[in-house]
Amino acid sequence: MMLLSRNFHTSDQYETNPHLKFWVIWSDYEDRIRACCYKWLHSDRGKVEDAMAQACEKALTVYVQDSSKIENMFAWLCRITHNICMDIHRLNTKESDLVKRVSGSPSQFYFTENYSKTLESEYERDQLYQKLTDAINSLPYDLKQVIQYKFIYEMEYSEIALQLQISQENARKRVQLARKKLSALQYA
């Protein structure tokens, strides 16, 4: 990271380059803003660093877009930083409240480390798979082909059309018709 100082650049560069001008201003006020952050975030170093980074990024973006509306640079930077600190504080308060709520009544909440399939759900999945396989096999050959290309091989309509030597519209229509027939078989 290159350190900037006012003496390094000519006044012409300083006035015409908003990025350069911002970094010089930011470096002038950074310590004062950081001190305010420590106060607003109760001396939590990690949160302060996050707030400073967010404030710097947001301030730079706004400053480069239009710095002419800023009358008091320090007050403006403090306001941006304060808002970010309050957002961080609110977020941490919400998280803390949630942890307290869950910790206070563990019987209301059930957490599992992993998901295991039950025997019933596996049986239902197998039955559904068999029903779907039977339904697809009962389709006419041309409809079965497009269903396989579209959903098993995950081909695009253009690829299906090329493979079957039909138009893309025809490929779409065949998929639509096959879906309609499969849907009718589901409720039969």
Side-chain angles (χ1 to χ4, degrees):
M1 183 175 155
M2 186 173 131
L3 297 176
L4 301 175
S5 72
R6 287 186 191 181
N7 300 333
F8 181 73
H9 300 281
T10 65
S11 62
D12 220 17
Q13 286 177 311
Y14 179 75
E15 292 302 320
T16 58
N17 186 340
H19 284 90
L20 176 62
K21 192 172 180 181
F22 173 80
W23 288 113
V24 170
I25 293 168
W26 178 260
S27 65
D28 286 347
Y29 295 122
E30 185 175 10
D31 291 337
R32 290 172 63 191
I33 293 168
R34 187 179 309 278
C36 292
C37 271
Y38 272 102
K39 182 173 66 173
W40 295 324
L41 293 172
H42 309 293
S43 299
D44 186 326
R45 175 179 257 164
K47 291 176 190 172
V48 168
E49 292 306 317
D50 288 345
M52 289 294 290
Q54 289 177 36
C56 182
E57 183 178 343
K58 186 169 187 161
L60 173 63
T61 303
V62 173
Y63 186 85
V64 168
Q65 286 175 356
D66 186 16
S67 61
S68 64
K69 296 177 184 176
I70 304 168
E71 294 176 17
N72 183 335
M73 189 59 66
F74 178 70
W76 178 73
L77 289 170
C78 274
R79 176 54 49 202
I80 289 173
T81 309
H82 179 266
N83 291 344
I84 289 170
C85 287
M86 292 304 103
D87 289 345
I88 290 171
H89 184 67
R90 280 187 209 100
L91 180 66
N92 289 329
T93 302
K94 284 181 184 178
E95 288 173 357
S96 174
D97 288 347
L98 181 62
V99 168
K100 284 178 187 174
R101 186 172 163 214
V102 171
S103 299
S105 53
S107 61
Q108 286 183 331
F109 301 95
Y110 176 74
F111 299 100
T112 180
E113 289 188 24
N114 61 8
Y115 173 78
S116 60
K117 296 177 185 173
T118 63
L119 199 52
E120 293 85 8
S121 67
E122 230 176 285
Y123 175 76
E124 288 172 0
R125 187 183 58 79
D126 289 343
Q127 290 295 318
L128 181 61
Y129 176 77
Q130 188 60 46
K131 188 176 179 181
L132 184 60
T133 303
D134 293 343
I136 290 172
N137 287 333
S138 71
L139 290 173
Y141 180 73
D142 59 335
L143 297 182
K144 186 179 0 177
Q145 245 184 338
V146 293
I147 286 293
Q148 286 176 336
Y149 286 149
K150 182 68 180 162
F151 299 107
I152 295 173
Y153 302 126
E154 298 179 350
M155 294 171 70
E156 298 294 325
Y157 289 112
S158 58
E159 296 171 318
I160 296 170
L162 187 64
Q163 184 74 25
L164 298 177
Q165 297 178 349
I166 58 176
S167 69
Q168 282 188 28
E169 262 187 41
N170 194 330
R172 275 194 198 88
K173 276 296 189 187
R174 285 187 187 185
V175 169
Q176 183 181 13
L177 183 61
R179 281 179 152 176
K180 190 174 182 180
K181 286 190 181 238
L182 288 173
S183 180
L185 289 173
Q186 176 185 358
Y187 298 110

